[in-house]
Amino acid sequence: MGANLITSLQEIRDFRASQGRRYPLWLILLLVIMGTISGCRSYYALEDFGARHYGTVSEKLGLTVTRLPSDTTFRRILQKLDFQTLAQQFEQWVNSTFTLEPNEWVAIDGKSIRGTVTEPGTAYQNFVSLVSVYSHQQGVVLAAQQFEFASQ
């Protein structure tokens, strides 16, 4: 079995200036992943997820912070985060942890990310989509890829 998810997230280079960092990047990314899996669809929902699960997360991870990140912290991080790097690291972790069995069926699904449409009032629209490969038998996303779709 491969490394755990936290170890994999710790390998992502923190792009923030060292001054003013209250939370390690791996913790924010872990909360984003857990919150998204739990149905969070906004920065505020991620903050609420952290507030509701602060005690358990702090206890299980041995955290010493007095609260988890705010919605604005999630927003700042996610706006500057290189999604491709996160997706590659997540995919490496999945591949080292889960094995796709022969004849195992997978589902492929794509979603457009709201708020990424450019020139919405014209016939030409460009937007960002996320495509995921999911194993129903194992209950895990095996890969995720972001791409831009240009319609003319």
Side-chain angles (χ1 to χ4, degrees):
M1 183 168 283
N4 68 39
L5 180 56
I6 292 173
T7 303
S8 293
L9 293 175
Q10 288 172 335
E11 293 179 19
I12 297 174
R13 187 184 66 79
D14 195 337
F15 53 85
R16 302 171 295 166
S18 59
Q19 183 180 6
R21 282 188 204 170
R22 183 175 294 171
Y23 309 100
L25 182 62
W26 68 264
L27 175 60
I28 294 169
L29 297 177
L30 180 65
L31 290 169
V32 167
I33 291 169
M34 292 189 321
T36 301
I37 290 170
S38 298
C40 298
R41 299 291 179 255
S42 69
Y43 303 125
Y44 180 76
L46 289 171
E47 177 183 17
D48 183 58
F49 175 85
R52 283 184 287 123
H53 300 287
Y54 167 78
T56 303
V57 170
S58 295
E59 178 186 329
K60 296 289 183 191
L61 299 179
L63 301 177
T64 59
V65 295
T66 57
R67 57 171 268 176
L68 293 178
S70 67
D71 61 328
T72 56
T73 300
F74 285 114
R75 181 177 182 268
R76 277 193 312 271
I77 298 297
L78 292 176
Q79 284 182 334
K80 294 181 181 176
L81 179 70
D82 178 11
F83 177 79
Q84 199 65 24
T85 302
L86 175 59
Q88 287 172 347
Q89 196 63 38
F90 183 78
E91 188 173 337
Q92 286 175 2
W93 170 74
V94 167
N95 290 332
S96 71
T97 306
F98 301 95
T99 304
L100 191 59
E101 299 298 325
N103 299 321
E104 183 174 343
W105 286 74
V106 295
I108 300 174
D109 185 36
K111 299 288 184 219
S112 297
I113 300 173
R114 184 171 59 180
T116 63
V117 174
T118 58
E119 303 181 47
T122 65
Y124 173 79
Q125 295 181 359
N126 187 28
F127 52 90
V128 176
S129 293
L130 178 65
V131 175
S132 302
V133 178
Y134 179 80
S135 167
H136 287 281
Q137 291 165 321
Q138 298 183 50
V140 65
V141 173
L142 300 170
Q145 179 68 46
Q146 168 189 325
F147 69 95
E148 288 190 45
F149 178 76
S151 167
Q152 292 193 38

